[in-house]
Amino acid sequence: MRERVMTGDRPTGKLHLGHFVGSLKRRLELQESHPMTLLVADLQAFTTHAERPEEVRMAIRDVMLDYLAVGIDPARTTIALQSLLPELAELAAIFGLLVTVGHLHRNPTIKAERASLGIDEEQLTYGFLGYPVSQAADIVGLGGVLVPVGADQIPHIEEARRIVRRFNSLYGEVLAEPRALVGHFPRLSGVYGRDKMSKSLGNAIFLADPADVLRKKVRQIYTDPTRLRVTDPGHLEGNVVFEYLDAFDPDPEGLAALKERYQAGGIGDVAVKERLVEILDALLAPIRERRTLWEQEPTAVERLLQEGSERARAIARDVLSQVRSAMGLPLRL
Ligand code: TRP
C-alpha cells in the first residue's frame, strides 16, 4: 500500500498562484499514484477569523471549487471538512500534552504570522498558539505520511514529527512520522514584490481571477525600478515578472533567451508582461471553466464534502482508538 498523502488549506478565501506552485501542482501529480486526503481546515481558519464566521463559510465553498477546478478528482482523493471530524479535536487535546508552550512560542511561522498580524501577548489565543498541535492531529489523525506544503508550513510538519516521536517514545511505536514535501516553487512573491503572495496582503493573483483582472494585476507587477527606458539593461534579481516566468513558463529555452534580451536592454517590461499574461491565461483558462461548471452544482459539491468527511472520519476513528489503547485509555464507557 502506498503511503497516504495528506494536506490541507485554511478556508479564508480563494486559492492563488502561490498555492498552485507551492502545493496544488504536487498534489495533482501525487493523486495519480497515492491515496490522498485534503482537509479544509475551517476550525484552523477561526484562529484568525473568529469574528468573521460568514467569511469562513463562504471560503469553504471557494476552496472546494478551487480543488475541483484545478483537477483534484474526488473519486480518488478524499476531501474532508475539519469541523466534521471531532476525533481530530480529541487527538489535538492529547497531542497538546506532549508540547511545551515555550516551544510553540519559538515556532518561526507562528512568530512571523504574529508579527504580520500584530498579535501581542494579550491578544494571543491558546488556539492560535496551539494550531500547529491541532495541525499535527490533522495529519496523524487522517493517516498522513507525505505532506505537500509550501515553505512556510515546514516548521509545523517538524512539530508534528516531534510530537509523533514523543508519543512513540512514551507509549510504543504506534504512529508514523510524517514527512514534508515542498512544492516545485515553495515560495512565490506577491505582485508588488518583497512579501510572499497572500490573500491578506492583497497581492495575490487568484486561480479564479477573470482574464481582465489577471491582465490588470500583471500590469501592476513589480519589475526593475532602476530601469527607465527599454534600452536600459534590465535586472532579474528581485524582478517578480521573471520570478513568475521561472515558475510558470513551460518553455525554459525561450525563457533563457528572453532573459538575455532583457538584460541587454533589448525588450521592455510591457512586452515581457504580455508574455506572462499569455502563459498565465493558458494555465488559468481551463481552471476557470471547470470552476464555472462546478459553481452550477452546489448540491453536488456539498455532497462530495459530506461523503469525503465520512470516509476521512473512519480513518480518524481508527487512529484514535490505536492512540487511546497505546495510552491505556478506555475504549468505551
Ligand atoms: N496550515 C495550513 C495552511 O495554512 C492548513 C492546514 C491545516 C494543513 N491542517 C493541515 C496543512 C494539515 C497540512 C496538513 O494552509
Side-chain angles (χ1 to χ4, degrees), residues 6-10 19 27 39 41 44 82 113 131 134-136 138-139 147-149 152-153 156-157:
M6 189 279 149
T7 188
D9 296 279
R10 288 181 198 182
H19 295 113
R27 300 179 198 178
L39 188 69
Q44 190 178 115
Q82 191 185 30
E113 287 175 349
Y131 90 73
S134 138
Q135 184 159 328
D138 297 341
I139 297 168
V147 190
V149 284
D152 60 315
Q153 296 294 303
H156 300 340
I157 312 307

